[in-house]
Amino acid sequence: MSYVNPSSLVSTEWLSKHASGPDVRIVDASWYMPATKRDPRAEYDEEHIPGAVFFDINDISDTDNSLPHMVPSPEKFSSRMRKLGLGDGNRIVIYDGSGLLSAARAWWMLRLFGHHDVAILDGGLPKWKAEGRPVDDVPVMPAERHFTSRINNFMLREKDQISRNLTTGREQVLDARSPGRFDGTEAEPREGLRSGHIPSSFNLPYNKMFNSTDGTLLPADRLKTLFTETGLDLKQPVITSCGSGISACILAFGLHLLGHNRVSVYDGSWTEWASDETTPVDTRNSHAD
């Protein structure tokens, strides 16, 4: 089988051929967990794919919210995109320095705010560099471009909706964290958070979705098998979750490639859920054999 939405994933070869196209815009959306001590902006300034602008996930967020990198207002998102030269009529290609992690968050945000001509670079910057393709440190000064925000609230879930779903069961919840964090045997990287998962969740660690050789995404048939082996019903709506709303977007991207069009992301994810002492937490995998 093939991806249902193959245009959402582009190869390094494709980008190499089309990078200079008049309507193609390249975006570096690198972000790393604080514990890694990596500075994505500094790394971007040191080297990036020529012409790429930097999408700062921590800045392009609701910075008044105590939770990390929550979705900003449509006005702020439009303003930031305009200044990056990203807007209506652009074919936007996103990559990150991990291969595929935060690029999926930027992809999801652009679609959330109504821009659908957006793709992710398969294998990201690591694959691009491994193939000897060019990088530079030249500052990019984009011309501003109008961005029309049309937020699609069907793609976004908040804590009260997750709470109601515990009773209704209308949507399946798929968690991208590691098995240890999911079942409560491994401590959360954010200090003070309870371990475990939202009751009745399914678990698919996002890093299982990649080829071990080059970090590219698995082909469609293997990707579909991964999702179905969790117990997920691909004909029913899915909410993806993770630690703070980043890797949940990788699951959402994988489901999108397979043609699933009823997928939303729990923006606050485990950081929000586990911080509230009134929310129920499970450490048993109710879907295990």
Side-chain angles (χ1 to χ4, degrees):
M1 64 178 291
S2 302
Y3 295 136
V4 176
N5 292 305
S7 63
S8 295
L9 186 69
V10 301
S11 67
T12 50
E13 182 179 4
W14 183 96
L15 185 59
S16 182
K17 291 178 180 177
H18 295 89
S20 59
D23 292 322
V24 173
R25 298 292 181 272
I26 307 172
V27 172
D28 183 323
S30 297
W31 172 92
Y32 307 103
M33 282 291 290
T36 65
K37 308 291 187 187
R38 293 180 67 175
D39 183 337
R41 178 69 205 217
E43 292 186 19
Y44 164 83
D45 289 340
E46 186 175 319
E47 61 173 17
H48 51 259
I49 294 177
V53 294
F54 184 68
F55 186 113
D56 189 337
I57 281 174
N58 285 333
D59 173 65
I60 305 171
S61 67
D62 178 4
T63 48
D64 293 328
N65 197 311
S66 61
L67 294 166
H69 40 255
M70 294 285 280
V71 166
S73 68
E75 294 77 17
K76 180 174 182 177
F77 191 80
S78 292
S79 173
R80 293 295 192 272
M81 293 306 99
R82 183 173 66 250
K83 290 176 182 176
L84 289 176
L86 306 175
D88 304 345
N90 283 155
R91 169 82 164 140
I92 299 174
V93 178
I94 309 171
Y95 72 88
D96 68 53
S98 296
L100 176 51
L101 177 61
S102 49
R105 175 71 180 187
W107 167 87
W108 175 78
M109 289 177 71
L110 280 157
R111 289 176 57 83
L112 174 70
F113 287 107
H115 192 97
H116 291 272
D117 195 1
V118 54
I120 291 176
L121 178 64
D122 202 9
L125 187 61
K127 187 171 189 290
W128 180 270
K129 290 172 60 179
E131 294 169 348
R133 302 187 190 275
V135 293
D136 64 32
D137 61 357
V138 178
V140 179
M141 307 294 289
E144 290 196 5
R145 182 118 176 183
H146 179 72
F147 186 97
T148 304
S149 272
R150 300 184 185 89
I151 191 166
N152 179 359
N153 286 312
F154 290 107
M155 294 176 60
L156 179 68
R157 291 292 178 270
E158 298 178 350
K159 185 174 67 175
D160 61 340
Q161 294 170 302
I162 303 297
S163 294
R164 288 197 298 272
N165 190 65
L166 292 178
T167 301
T168 65
R170 290 175 180 168
E171 298 177 292
Q172 305 164 101
V173 178
L174 183 64
D175 193 318
R177 294 175 302 147
S178 67
R181 291 171 67 187
F182 182 80
D183 63 23
T185 59
E186 179 184 330
E188 283 294 308
R190 289 178 175 83
E191 194 172 337
L193 285 187
R194 293 177 290 166
S195 296
H197 58 267
I198 298 167
S200 299
S201 298
F202 298 89
N203 182 219
L204 175 56
Y206 75 90
N207 56 9
K208 288 189 174 183
M209 294 171 54
F210 309 118
N211 289 299
S212 58
T213 51
D214 60 3
T216 55
L217 273 161
L218 295 175
D221 54 346
R222 291 177 61 194
L223 206 55
K224 183 177 182 179
T225 297
L226 266 185
F227 283 110
T228 56
E229 283 180 344
T230 68
L232 205 66
D233 182 350
L234 293 180
K235 296 179 181 178
Q236 299 301 318
V238 179
I239 302 168
T240 63
S241 182
C242 60
S244 65
I246 299 289
S247 58
C249 296
I250 303 175
L251 299 185
F253 181 67
L255 289 165
H256 167 77
L257 289 176
L258 296 176
H260 201 310
N261 56 13
R262 291 187 292 168
V263 180
S264 55
V265 170
Y266 175 22
D267 195 25
S269 280
W270 190 248
T271 300
E272 179 178 45
W273 189 264
S275 297
D276 183 347
E277 293 297 328
T278 69
T279 56
V281 168
D282 204 345
T283 54
R284 300 168 297 105
N285 188 348
S286 58
H287 302 291
D289 294 335

